[in-house]
Amino acid sequence: MSAGRFAPSPSADLHIGNLRTAVLAWLFARSTGRRFVMRVEDLDDRTSADIAERQLADLAAIGLTWDGPTEWQSEHTKRYDDVVADLNARGLLYECFCSRRDIAQAPRAPHAPQGAYPGTCRDLTDAERQRRREETGRAPALRLRTDEITYTVDDVLHGRYTGIVDDFVVRRGDGVAAYNLAVVVDDAAQGIDQVVRGDDLLPSSPRQAYLARLLGYPEPTYAHVPLVLNEDGARLAKRDGAVTLAEIGVQKALSQIAGSLGWPTATDPESLLEVFDPARLPRHPWIYRPK
Ligand code: GLU
């Protein structure tokens, strides 16, 4: 059965912008009769179980409901390992010894897209690989050998969006599944066919859709919603003042979220279902002024 989702990374308490994205993801899913599932993206070492529990408590406190148990990425390492093994068996992965700095300083082809992996480790011989391993003393990351430079996705808010698909990392040097792989594998495993999230992740969607196709998964519908910014136009952060639910309070947060979306007020997300219309969502960032 089809589902939408919210997938927070537990590195900090959710702020009003994250809560607004969660409400929108919930509205998109519920207004289309989908299940709504929750996934804690805790593969990163900056994440904490305490923060995750507070995030889930905040999401429940503003009235969001989700189906089935919350999934934790840290419990699914086998799921990712199996997919990595499958891609490897298909000859689609290669070891990469590059540091960030190596990548930034590598010579690139004149028309190579900015930010794309320059291909340094793509065609190393066994002997060169061995030498790189010894020189760097690093365990290699695994990159996907892609055969397309760009890929196009359809987004409810952005229309057709074309972005870079380079040889992106699917498993980090420390052996942990990379974000792009984990998201795609989990979305498929959880039956998710609608991805609603902040538009900072729009540039990741071509890579994810490309990988989904490679793995034979259906491509989800995407809706990348505008972020919330502070008065200086930067991403909202803790230092901007009262930005978390604990600081703002449930009712006020809900009415701020409703107001930012053009609705007079909201007592709970349920009450927004009647007025929710994706076609009328604001296309610009919400500038948040804590009061
Ligand atoms: N965990 C990611 C974040 O909190 C979101 C991932 C996603 O929605 O695909 O930024």
Side-chain angles (χ1 to χ4, degrees):
M1 204 172 124
S2 56
R5 45 70 150 190
F6 188 61
S9 299
S11 50
D13 285 333
L14 298 174
H15 60 54
I16 186 79
N18 308 131
L19 293 168
R20 180 189 193 239
T21 301
V23 168
L24 284 171
W26 185 91
L27 286 168
F28 266 97
R30 295 297 193 216
S31 67
T32 51
R34 284 179 165 85
R35 299 169 67 243
F36 186 64
V37 301
M38 192 61 69
R39 179 169 77 234
V40 177
E41 303 214 315
D42 60 342
L43 289 182
D44 214 297
D45 37 4
R46 286 166 305 175
T47 62
S48 121
D50 282 357
I51 294 176
E53 293 297 352
R54 282 207 301 279
Q55 292 182 329
L56 297 172
D58 284 356
L59 293 164
I62 57 167
L64 297 184
T65 50
W66 54 94
D67 300 300
T70 299
E71 288 215 0
W72 297 68
Q73 286 192 322
S74 56
E75 291 173 2
H76 295 142
T77 47
K78 181 167 182 329
R79 200 186 264 177
Y80 314 127
D81 290 348
D82 288 349
V83 172
V84 168
D86 169 51
L87 290 169
N88 200 34
R90 291 165 61 186
L92 289 170
L93 303 184
Y94 64 87
E95 293 182 340
C96 172
F97 299 88
C98 294
S99 64
R100 278 176 206 276
R101 180 197 257 187
D102 293 336
I103 294 172
Q105 293 177 346
R108 39 188 85 232
H111 300 295
Q114 269 299 320
Y117 179 64
T120 320
C121 293
R122 187 177 166 115
D123 296 310
L124 298 183
T125 62
D126 286 348
E128 283 167 336
R129 233 188 329 271
Q130 188 57 31
R131 192 167 49 78
R132 293 278 286 155
R133 188 188 294 271
E134 283 159 17
E135 268 168 17
T136 61
R138 263 195 295 277
L142 294 178
R143 285 188 186 271
L144 186 66
R145 190 181 292 279
T146 55
D147 54 16
E148 259 152 90
I149 296 174
T150 59
Y151 195 76
T152 301
V153 297
D154 279 313
D155 186 282
V156 175
L157 296 173
H158 296 263
R160 283 173 75 69
Y161 172 82
T162 301
I164 300 175
V165 178
D166 59 348
D167 286 0
F168 58 91
V169 171
V170 296
R171 201 183 70 187
R172 306 184 329 212
D174 60 6
V176 177
Y179 160 68
N180 280 321
L181 179 105
V183 159
V184 169
V185 171
D186 283 337
D187 282 347
Q190 291 184 275
I192 288 158
D193 66 345
Q194 182 190 56
V195 170
V196 179
R197 58 190 176 190
D199 61 13
D200 54 328
L201 289 169
L202 180 63
S204 298
S205 55
R207 291 189 176 104
Q208 294 172 10
Y210 176 90
L211 179 59
R213 190 188 60 175
L214 211 55
L215 293 170
Y217 303 156
E219 189 173 313
T221 301
Y222 292 103
H224 288 89
V225 301
L227 289 185
V228 179
L229 304 178
N230 70 16
E231 289 176 275
D232 300 327
R235 268 184 200 222
L236 199 65
K238 186 101 196 131
R239 63 177 173 280
D240 291 317
V243 295
T244 63
L245 197 63
E247 293 160 332
I248 302 171
V250 171
Q251 273 319 312
K252 192 168 164 197
L254 275 170
S255 50
Q256 286 177 337
I257 290 170
S260 80
L261 295 167
W263 304 311
T265 189
T267 42
D268 52 37
E270 202 80 34
S271 64
L272 294 174
L273 269 178
E274 285 158 36
V275 287
F276 178 67
D277 176 4
R280 304 186 64 159
L281 285 178
R283 305 296 166 115
H284 300 293
W286 174 32
I287 307 297
Y288 187 72
R289 296 177 179 86
K291 288 188 200 82

